[in-house]
Amino acid sequence: MKDVLSTKFHYRTFKNWIRFSWLPIFSSLQDRVIFLDSTIFSLVSGTFSGISYVGIANTIGNTVSNANAISVGLSPKLLATQNIKHVEGILDKTLLFAIPMLGFAIVFAKPVIWLLNPIYINGILIVYLWSLIHFIWVIRGILGSSIESLDQIDIGFRASVKDFLKSNLFKVRLVYGIGAITYLGFLVIAFLVARELGISELNTVILWGGVSVIVNVLVLITLILMIRKNTSFNFQTVRTIKYLLITIVTCLISNQVLSKYLVYDQSIFVFGPRILPQVLLFIGMYFGIIFLVDKQSRVFFIQIIREFKR
């Protein structure tokens, strides 16, 4: 430790840290501002029960967000190789899981709400909206981090503040910031109009979800345009349509089985075991069909199984 502390202090490095310390602060502002939506709702409506619906919806929507775990190692790969093929591959594998997870959240919204708290059973549409929001967050998170990782403006100490302002490191966070401010602005207007028109609290929360979906879609479109402008990014359209069609088939069959055979019970110990076979049916049906019809996914699943066997 003494040898480490006695080494020469690099003032230039310290100076650059201070000089560009505004960038991570600016980057974190969006994460702080975005969570003001619940505060705005409670201030305008004067109640907190609507936030409970959002809490239930986020709990179920987090199922979709778990697909984001696949992209954890993407940024280091891009920093090391600058290969856009990594983005295409990770996005494809993420959609392989995210699309059925979205379908699962939609089909099993009512049973899961029943398990969590039956009094929120009339908030199914809210669950649909927030599940879609989580799905969009997963995709935009991959694209946003990819655009940032492909920008090499922060290598060395040659870049000026002006260079950083022109870089994608700043532009991506600027898009997020503008999206957050736009989102909160439209929310205030929507909540005030809903209060003046006497719209019910449940419908106001649905309106809240609609505003969030629209703004997040606009942010996602902006990121898609940015990554296509700066790279040769090629979206796997055919494979994504395949995942979507198989998910739709799985959802339709699962929904029919749920409607016909699932009996709701007040006891969680009775109802829980009843829903478990339906969950396994959904998972087995989707991945079974994918395994049979998609060679690339089949190889991917076999590789995963081999890793577990080690």
Side-chain angles (χ1 to χ4, degrees):
M1 180 62 72
K2 181 180 179 181
D3 294 335
V4 174
L5 294 175
S6 62
T7 56
K8 184 179 178 181
F9 184 78
H10 295 277
Y11 288 99
R12 187 182 176 208
T13 302
F14 178 73
K15 179 182 177 182
N16 278 279
W17 282 350
I18 298 299
R19 186 183 178 191
F20 296 112
S21 60
W22 59 272
L23 187 59
I25 295 174
F26 175 78
S27 300
S28 65
L29 288 178
Q30 180 259 344
D31 296 327
R32 300 175 187 276
V33 171
I34 200 72
F35 292 110
L36 292 174
D37 51 0
S38 298
T39 304
I40 294 172
F41 176 83
S42 60
L43 288 174
V44 175
S45 66
T47 64
F48 295 93
S49 56
I51 300 175
S52 301
Y53 282 99
V54 177
I56 291 288
N58 272 318
T59 300
I60 300 173
N62 278 328
T63 305
V64 184
S65 292
N66 288 328
N68 198 40
I70 299 173
S71 64
V72 170
L74 179 59
S75 290
K77 284 185 178 180
L78 293 177
L79 290 170
T81 65
Q82 298 290 297
N83 189 348
I84 193 64
K85 294 297 181 182
H86 289 313
V87 182
E88 296 172 4
I90 290 295
L91 183 58
D92 175 62
K93 288 180 175 60
T94 300
L95 290 173
L96 172 64
F97 293 96
I99 292 176
M101 284 178 175
L102 175 60
F104 178 88
I106 292 173
V107 171
F108 287 87
K110 184 177 179 180
V112 174
I113 293 175
W114 188 272
L115 278 174
L116 294 173
N117 197 329
I119 67 171
Y120 297 108
I121 202 69
N122 58 340
I124 292 178
L125 182 55
I126 298 172
V127 174
Y128 295 166
L129 288 170
W130 257 266
S131 297
L132 180 58
I133 291 167
H134 279 266
F135 177 80
I136 298 171
W137 283 348
V138 169
I139 308 305
R140 84 172 207 179
I142 293 174
L143 296 180
S145 63
S146 298
I147 295 170
E148 291 176 330
S149 300
L150 290 167
D151 197 315
Q152 297 185 320
I153 190 70
D154 57 341
I155 295 179
F157 301 110
R158 297 181 300 273
S160 63
V161 173
K162 187 177 180 180
D163 292 330
F164 267 92
L165 291 175
K166 293 180 179 179
S167 71
N168 286 325
L169 285 176
F170 177 77
K171 289 178 182 178
V172 169
R173 294 298 162 173
L174 182 62
V175 170
Y176 287 160
I178 293 174
I181 294 171
T182 303
Y183 166 61
L184 294 178
F186 277 115
L187 271 190
V188 171
I189 296 172
F191 290 159
L192 290 174
V193 170
R195 187 178 66 178
E196 290 299 318
L197 296 178
I199 297 174
S200 67
E201 186 177 36
L202 182 63
N203 287 330
T204 301
V205 177
I206 293 172
L207 182 62
W208 177 358
V211 170
S212 183
V213 168
I214 292 171
V215 173
N216 277 288
V217 167
L218 292 175
V219 171
L220 179 60
I221 292 172
T222 303
L223 293 176
I224 292 173
L225 294 175
M226 287 178 66
I227 197 168
R228 285 189 169 178
K229 179 182 178 181
N230 294 283
T231 68
S232 57
F233 176 76
N234 182 31
F235 183 69
Q236 304 292 325
T237 306
V238 175
R239 294 180 56 75
T240 302
I241 292 174
K242 186 185 295 185
Y243 303 152
L244 183 60
L245 290 176
I246 295 173
T247 298
I248 291 173
V249 171
T250 304
C251 288
L252 290 174
I253 296 174
S254 294
N255 187 60
Q256 285 295 107
V257 174
L258 283 173
S259 301
K260 190 172 183 179
Y261 296 107
L262 185 63
V263 178
Y264 289 83
D265 193 282
Q266 291 293 336
S267 173
I268 188 174
F269 300 105
V270 175
F271 183 65
R274 286 177 182 173
I275 195 177
L276 185 58
Q278 318 289 348
V279 173
L280 295 177
L281 174 65
F282 182 97
I283 296 172
M285 195 185 316
Y286 174 79
F287 288 108
I289 297 173
I290 283 287
F291 190 87
L292 291 173
V293 304
D294 188 71
K295 182 179 178 181
Q296 190 172 330
S297 297
R298 183 162 60 248
V299 172
F300 178 57
F301 293 151
I302 292 172
Q303 290 174 341
I304 293 175
I305 294 170
R306 285 175 179 172
E307 286 296 322
F308 277 112
K309 287 183 177 179
R310 287 186 179 181

